[in-house]
Amino acid sequence: RGPALQPLFKMSYSCSKARDPRPGQPYKGGNFCAFLPDNKEGLKTAKLMKKAFERGLTFQIKSCNGEERVTWGPIPHKTSWDGGKARNGYPDAQYLREVSTAL
């Protein structure tokens, strides 16, 4: 395994917006970490992920046990550096192509 870019998102408590499941209701945030390879394709993907984040596409709010929580949105993220595709990690030879298509 080589060097990795490690985007980190920190979402705190806030109120949901009009397009969320329960507008105006508070939600619980969290720390979200994702991994990308430190190479040309990984850097390109990181730039696309930044645009997706700025457009509000990276996360969504879901109701879980009566509490509104921030969760990953529809864009696939690698949340582990290892464990393979089954564990949301690497190795996954198709990931950068798949995430680029999603972005």
Side-chain angles (χ1 to χ4, degrees), residues 6-49:
Q6 186 176 6
L8 175 66
F9 305 96
K10 186 173 184 176
M11 310 292 284
S12 59
Y13 285 89
S14 189
C15 283
S16 54
K17 298 181 177 116
R19 67 177 185 247
D20 294 326
R22 293 177 46 203
Q25 296 298 311
Y27 63 84
K28 185 175 182 177
N31 293 321
F32 297 84
C33 186
F35 297 88
L36 291 169
D38 188 8
N39 59 29
K40 185 178 178 179
E41 199 173 357
L43 290 170
K44 179 182 171 187
T45 302
K47 288 178 184 178
L48 292 172
M49 284 187 170

Side-chain angles (χ1 to χ4, degrees), residues 5 14 16 26 28 30 34 36-38 44-45 53 55 63 67 69 72-74 77 83-84 87 96 98 100:
L5 299 173
S14 189
S16 54
K28 185 175 182 177
L36 291 169
D38 188 8
K44 179 182 171 187
T45 302
F53 177 78
R55 293 178 182 165
S63 185
E67 179 178 64
R69 302 183 75 85
W72 287 112
H77 286 78
R87 294 211 167 131
L96 290 175
E98 290 171 0
S100 290

Side-chain angles (χ1 to χ4, degrees), residues 35 81 97 101:
F35 297 88
W81 188 243
R97 186 177 320 131
T101 299

Side-chain angles (χ1 to χ4, degrees), residues 2 24 103:
L103 290 165

